[in-house]
Amino acid sequence: KSAYEVLEKEYDFWQTERITEIELNQYGGRVEDKGELCNAFIERLRYDPRIETDCLAKHTIAQMESGWDINPRMGFESYNCCEIDLNSLLYMHEKNMEYFSYELGNKDGVKWYKAAKKRKKAMCTYMYDMDNLPYDYNFKTKSLCHIYSAAAFYPMFAKCASAEQAISIVRNIDRLEYEYGISACENNNTKGMYQWNYPNSWACLQYITAKGLINYGFYDAAERVIKKYLKTVNKAYNETGKLWEKYNAVDGSINVVNEYDMPEMMGWTAGVYLWCLNYLNNKK
């Protein structure tokens, strides 16, 4: 019950502070709170003098809140966009709260059911292209953002993709999958350096992808992604004696796009590695 109350406060934040005119959510933050790190990113992103500093600041702060700092998915307009990963996770939150409500007997189950149903409908309306592929949505230009990314697997991870949408996503996995795993974004010619971009492979994205594939019965594809991650971590460990924050999905090296000195031994690297091992061992 106490956890439910905390999670309800978290949800209220997103529904009051990060809700948009199309009733989907976005990442954001206050420009006046930007610090030294944010200012450094703004200077790096100042390719076009026509982009105002405040716009770059709002974009950078939103990207930092997302955890995908920094990525090319939305150009320089994160503050005008709804992200496919965020809204998938909030759908998952609503479905979890629906379940918790029935377990607690607090009579809020219908409210959460309706919220999840409403979000799923809005996501289908705004966030999918003609090929049933999910993208971030710019609600100011009323258009999909143009870079395809591993965020496409979040609807499958959260179980809010339809069967048809899941099939389309899997059919396009080769846009993101390489010999050593899933790249954060498809190969693109966006100017600048973005660590949540091609060819970087992040542990969390391998897990999200594999779990999403498993949720919809694509077990062979999931096992392929899992084995690639294990191979990548083993290769780099044999070469360096260390685990790393991220890897190169193309060649399995630690030759990655960095925005800072890459840290060693990230918890999620070890955690996803163990999850992958456990998945394969439990199949035997």
Side-chain angles (χ1 to χ4, degrees):
K1 184 175 182 295
S2 62
Y4 180 93
E5 292 170 353
V6 172
L7 291 168
E8 195 165 34
K9 289 180 180 178
E10 171 73 9
Y11 184 79
D12 288 344
F13 166 82
W14 291 101
Q15 294 304 96
T16 56
E17 301 297 323
R18 299 291 186 268
I19 194 70
T20 71
E21 59 198 51
I22 60 170
E23 298 188 298
L24 289 171
N25 296 83
Q26 65 175 151
Y27 290 111
R30 301 191 305 175
V31 173
E32 55 267 30
D33 290 340
K34 68 180 186 295
E36 183 178 343
L37 179 61
C38 182
N39 287 328
F41 278 120
I42 291 170
E43 290 306 311
R44 286 182 46 198
L45 295 172
R46 202 185 297 278
Y47 303 123
D48 188 337
R50 293 172 297 179
I51 303 176
E52 297 179 1
T53 298
D54 276 1
C55 292
L56 283 177
K58 288 190 292 183
H59 168 75
T60 304
I61 290 169
Q63 299 244 305
M64 289 178 171
E65 185 172 90
S66 78
W68 284 58
D69 50 339
I70 299 291
N71 73 80
R73 284 162 48 185
M74 288 151 281
F76 297 117
E77 293 190 50
S78 290
Y79 53 89
N80 283 334
C81 296
C82 298
E83 294 83 359
I84 189 69
D85 43 340
L86 171 60
N87 284 279
S88 297
L89 293 173
L90 284 170
Y91 172 88
M92 199 174 192
H93 188 111
E94 289 158 348
K95 295 302 290 183
N96 281 338
M97 296 296 273
E98 177 190 352
Y99 168 74
F100 298 154
S101 294
Y102 288 124
E103 287 293 297
L104 293 169
N106 64 14
K107 300 181 181 180
D108 283 341
V110 173
K111 176 188 76 173
W112 292 113
Y113 168 81
K114 289 181 178 178
K117 184 178 180 181
K118 179 180 178 182
R119 183 179 303 278
K120 183 176 181 179
K121 181 179 180 181
M123 290 174 68
C124 289
T125 299
Y126 294 108
M127 297 185 133
Y128 285 82
D129 69 4
M130 297 298 292
D131 295 319
N132 258 341
L133 295 176
Y135 288 83
D136 307 304
Y137 182 76
N138 189 315
F139 55 86
K140 290 299 182 184
T141 62
K142 295 181 172 56
S143 62
L144 294 170
C145 301
H146 68 283
I147 292 181
Y148 194 62
S149 76
F153 287 97
Y154 275 74
M156 294 177 67
F157 174 73
K159 299 182 182 179
C160 62
S162 67
E164 293 78 12
Q165 289 165 345
I167 290 170
S168 294
I169 294 166
V170 176
R171 282 176 178 167
N172 283 268
I173 195 172
D174 60 350
R175 294 171 63 176
L176 298 164
E177 184 182 357
Y178 295 89
E179 184 176 351
Y180 290 91
I182 301 295
S183 173
C185 293
E186 66 181 343
N187 195 358
N188 59 85
N189 59 2
T190 304
K191 184 178 180 180
M193 293 177 61
Y194 305 86
Q195 65 177 7
W196 288 81
N197 193 15
Y198 171 90
N200 287 6
S201 165
W202 294 80
C204 52
L205 297 181
Q206 314 313 299
Y207 170 73
I208 293 290
T209 300
K211 193 67 169 64
L213 292 167
I214 291 167
N215 286 343
Y216 285 78
F218 295 98
Y219 301 111
D220 290 344
E223 188 169 329
R224 188 176 69 242
V225 171
I226 286 168
K227 288 180 175 178
K228 286 183 176 184
Y229 186 66
L230 293 173
K231 178 175 71 170
T232 302
V233 177
N234 288 340
K235 177 179 181 293
Y237 184 81
N238 288 334
E239 293 171 353
T240 68
K242 299 173 182 177
L243 302 184
W244 296 92
E245 179 191 49
K246 53 189 177 289
Y247 300 92
N248 186 310
V250 176
D251 62 20
S253 72
I254 57 171
N255 180 25
V256 294
V257 178
N258 279 323
E259 294 174 350
Y260 43 73
D261 290 338
M262 181 166 66
E264 307 164 6
M265 184 43 203
M266 292 293 287
W268 61 14
T269 302
V272 172
Y273 185 89
L274 289 173
W275 179 84
C276 290
L277 281 179
N278 288 336
Y279 178 82
L280 294 181
N281 287 335
N282 289 334
K283 283 194 64 184
K284 296 177 181 179

